[in-house]
Amino acid sequence: MNIIDELKEFADLFNNYIASNITIESDNLSKASFHLLNSGGKRIRPFLTCKTFELFDDNIQNILPIATSCELIHNFTLLHDDIMDNDLTRHGVPTAHSIYGIPITILSGDILFAIAFSHISNNSKLLNFNVNRILKIINVLSAASITICNGQSDDLIMSNETQFRKPESYFNMISKKTAALFEASCKIGCIAGNGTSNDEKSLTNFGKNFGIAFQMIDDVIGVVGKKNVTGKPVGEDIVQGKKTYMISLALDSMNSEQKNLVLKIFGKKQASANQIIDAVNVISNTGVADIVREKAQIYTQNAMDSLDKYRDAESYSSLINLTDFLIKRNI
């Protein structure tokens, strides 16, 4: 089975679990909370939790409740991020706050955050995990949530600054905002599978490098991705004013006329379609997308190297194939 088919098969399993096991009493709150969950998604974070768990234990039913909590935290961040960025669509689907309003969408993120932790504790007896293991999992997920919030704060500050920071600031920010939950998802899978402390280090390193590469490729797609493939508006990161490594590199390689053309609409959501296309073409012609993908390849290779000792495990190939897919993806 190729990785696309495997992700789809897992997503079906995971979505059925969510539908059967997560309920919210208030109808309007439930609709807003499940809006993004019901609109699709590759479920990469819970997939990673399950596959790192399967390096040690092949009973996937024992990890689904934990993996679900990782995805709920992810959706909590998306709901709130869309409000902060005032985005009206996500992957071609209207955002929750554009349909249900900001107050109910804030609550929907809050309740997903709470359910994420209650779902772990409520299933602890069913999973037959001892108290220390459950507490460790909760601590990892809560620490990741704090890190994500700090990363989002950094991103907001950087977006409001007039100048681009050095690349180190960008990589520090995405390590917190994006990579932290990938890192936690993999570490949690290891803890749930009763891996050793050395296993935790290896799989934490895998998740962190995977997450950094994931965001770098996302940033490429956010500028030069095709809407019919990604579901995102063309040049989304340009009009959003995202100070990504991709855009920073592109601007550094431009002449003054090209730079002015891009900066004229940078952070301007009211920019015309023609202006956006012109800016995207200028950035595309710099060739920096290939440079970013090459640098992301370093992180994906570091991620793969962290898995070397698990070559005999059945889920090893799934993790390697997903990492390989990551660096080549256009969605």
Side-chain angles (χ1 to χ4, degrees):
M1 186 185 300
N2 65 45
I3 190 61
I4 300 296
D5 290 338
E6 191 173 358
L7 284 169
K8 287 179 180 176
E9 184 179 273
F10 173 80
D12 288 342
L13 171 70
F14 182 80
N15 293 341
N16 287 335
Y17 178 88
I18 288 273
S20 301
N21 292 276
I22 306 294
T23 57
I24 295 173
E25 180 181 350
S26 167
D27 184 58
N28 203 36
L29 182 58
S30 178
K31 288 177 180 176
S33 300
F34 288 106
H35 176 70
L36 290 178
L37 278 164
N38 290 338
S39 68
K42 294 183 285 294
R43 312 300 187 212
I44 290 178
R45 291 154 191 84
F47 182 85
L48 286 171
T49 303
C50 290
K51 291 304 173 181
T52 50
F53 173 81
E54 286 180 327
L55 293 172
F56 310 98
D57 188 328
D58 61 3
N59 187 356
I60 194 172
Q61 296 302 319
N62 278 354
I63 190 60
L64 276 176
I66 311 295
T68 295
S69 294
C70 293
E71 183 69 3
L72 294 181
I73 291 294
H74 175 53
N75 277 264
F76 143 71
T77 67
L78 297 182
L79 289 165
H80 284 189
D81 281 3
D82 286 341
I83 294 171
M84 286 181 258
D85 292 341
N86 196 27
D87 284 340
L88 299 181
T89 62
R90 175 175 288 277
H91 298 300
V93 177
T95 51
H97 73 271
S98 70
I99 299 173
Y100 303 101
I102 290 176
I104 200 72
T105 303
I106 291 173
L107 283 176
S108 70
D110 293 345
I111 200 167
L112 289 183
F113 183 83
I115 291 171
F117 292 99
S118 67
H119 197 63
I120 295 173
S121 59
N122 290 343
N123 281 280
S124 59
K125 289 185 179 179
L126 176 66
L127 300 173
N128 199 29
F129 290 174
N130 64 36
V131 173
N132 287 338
R133 209 184 324 177
I134 290 294
L135 285 176
K136 194 171 182 179
I137 289 169
I138 290 174
N139 283 339
V140 170
L141 192 56
S142 60
S145 301
I146 293 169
T147 301
I148 292 165
C149 290
N150 282 311
Q152 173 67 358
S153 175
D154 290 348
D155 193 18
L156 291 171
I157 292 169
M158 289 168 66
S159 293
N160 289 323
E161 292 174 342
T162 56
Q163 301 294 320
F164 279 75
R165 294 189 186 183
K166 292 181 178 179
E168 290 79 7
S169 295
Y170 162 83
F171 285 106
N172 181 53
M173 182 271 291
I174 67 170
S175 292
K176 292 187 283 187
K177 180 177 176 177
T178 303
L181 189 53
F182 284 112
E183 185 178 336
S185 297
C186 294
K187 186 174 184 178
I188 285 169
C190 177
I191 295 168
N194 208 24
T196 67
S197 58
N198 283 333
D199 290 322
E200 286 180 35
K201 290 176 184 176
S202 296
L203 294 171
T204 296
N205 189 60
F206 168 78
K208 181 176 182 177
N209 281 280
F210 182 99
I212 291 172
F214 183 94
Q215 186 60 56
M216 292 176 73
I217 301 302
D218 239 28
D219 291 345
V220 171
I221 295 167
V223 177
V224 298
K226 293 179 172 60
K227 185 177 181 180
N228 63 325
V229 176
T230 67
K232 299 179 181 181
V234 174
E236 181 179 36
D237 283 1
I238 302 171
V239 296
Q240 289 281 1
K242 295 288 186 181
K243 292 186 172 69
T244 65
Y245 180 60
M246 163 87 173
I247 295 175
S248 177
L249 277 183
L251 289 170
D252 285 344
S253 67
M254 292 177 189
N255 61 39
S256 58
E257 182 180 351
Q258 293 170 326
K259 188 178 293 187
N260 288 336
L261 186 150
V262 173
L263 291 178
K264 185 177 181 179
I265 67 162
F266 188 71
K268 304 292 193 302
K269 293 186 178 181
Q270 68 274 21
S272 71
N274 286 338
Q275 286 177 312
I276 295 170
I277 290 170
D278 288 343
V280 168
N281 287 338
V282 168
I283 292 174
S284 297
N285 289 336
T286 64
V288 296
D290 291 336
I291 296 173
V292 176
R293 283 188 182 272
E294 286 172 9
K295 188 169 181 66
Q297 179 68 62
I298 297 171
Y299 288 97
T300 58
Q301 188 60 55
N302 287 340
M304 291 187 202
D305 289 345
S306 300
L307 299 176
D308 275 349
K309 63 181 176 180
Y310 306 108
R311 286 179 177 273
D312 293 335
E314 189 172 338
S315 62
Y316 168 81
S317 60
S318 298
L319 293 167
I320 290 294
N321 291 339
L322 178 62
T323 309
D324 185 60
F325 165 74
L326 158 68
I327 199 67
K328 299 172 182 174
R329 73 188 174 98
N330 291 305
I331 57 174

